[in-house]
Amino acid sequence: TLRIACQTRDIQIVQAVIEAGAKPDERTLLKSVKYASVENKIFNAVCKAGARPHKGELTAACKLSDLHLVRELIKMGSKPDDTTLECALERDIELTRAVLAIGAKPYGFALSIAKRNGNSEVLAKVQKSVRECSDLVEKISFDYAHKDTFLVA
């Protein structure tokens, strides 16, 4: 499959598999990011073959500290998962800004990492996001606790 070809990290193999008619599946784009070659030739090849964002690509690109790749994925409609912000925070301020701008939410240790990094702008955004998430959880909890009030007999 095209996914396996991406794992070879050999653009010639990837292109041969595409030319032979292989179509990307939902995990192909993620593999192309994880096994991106210099200049992202593998990523570009699978995008041209029709690969679309599924899950995990942004976090993988953040792990590579590749801001260009992160921006390309955002343009394609890729969404952050529950570890994207943490990963960006551990690597680069511009990666962090990019994923915060598209709504990455703080899970796990994101707030601790932001405090440790000491960037007040990013820390403020993460803290705001934490408050928004807390407010949402409180609202959902309240709605659930009072669900009988909203039921019509």
Side-chain angles (χ1 to χ4, degrees):
T1 69
L2 187 51
R3 237 187 311 159
I4 293 168
C6 290
Q7 292 175 343
T8 68
R9 296 184 171 112
D10 186 328
I11 187 62
Q12 292 175 335
I13 292 172
V14 171
Q15 288 174 329
V17 170
I18 290 169
E19 288 169 10
K23 299 291 180 203
D25 63 19
E26 71 276 353
R27 305 304 284 167
T28 302
L29 192 62
L30 174 61
K31 290 297 181 184
S32 75
V33 171
K34 283 186 174 181
Y35 299 107
S37 63
V38 177
E39 300 168 10
N40 299 318
K41 291 179 182 177
I42 292 173
F43 174 79
N44 292 334
V46 300
C47 287
K48 286 179 184 172
R52 304 285 5 122
H54 183 63
K55 185 179 177 186
E57 298 92 0
L58 272 179
T59 302
C62 286
K63 285 179 182 175
L64 296 171
S65 298
D66 190 331
L67 182 59
H68 174 73
L69 191 54
V70 166
R71 288 181 175 152
E72 288 300 311
L73 287 163
I74 290 169
K75 281 189 228 173
M76 293 174 68
S78 192
K79 303 290 181 211
D81 63 25
D82 59 354
T83 59
T84 303
L85 182 57
E86 280 184 28
C87 188
L89 280 163
E90 290 177 333
R91 284 160 180 80
D92 181 78
I93 186 70
E94 292 304 319
L95 289 173
T96 304
R97 284 184 179 127
V99 299
L100 278 170
I102 60 163
K105 298 294 180 210
Y107 297 94
F109 299 102
L111 189 57
S112 302
I113 296 166
K115 285 178 181 176
R116 184 180 66 223
N117 289 348
N119 183 293
S120 58
E121 172 201 353
V122 169
L123 180 59
K125 287 181 180 179
V126 171
Q127 287 172 327
K128 180 181 181 222
S129 189
V130 167
R131 281 191 304 275
E132 289 169 355
C133 288
S134 289
D135 291 346
L136 181 60
V137 168
E138 283 180 33
K139 181 185 180 329
I140 291 168
S141 297
F142 177 83
D143 289 349
Y144 182 77
H146 296 90
K147 69 182 183 292
D148 295 334
T149 307
F150 303 111
L151 296 178
V152 177

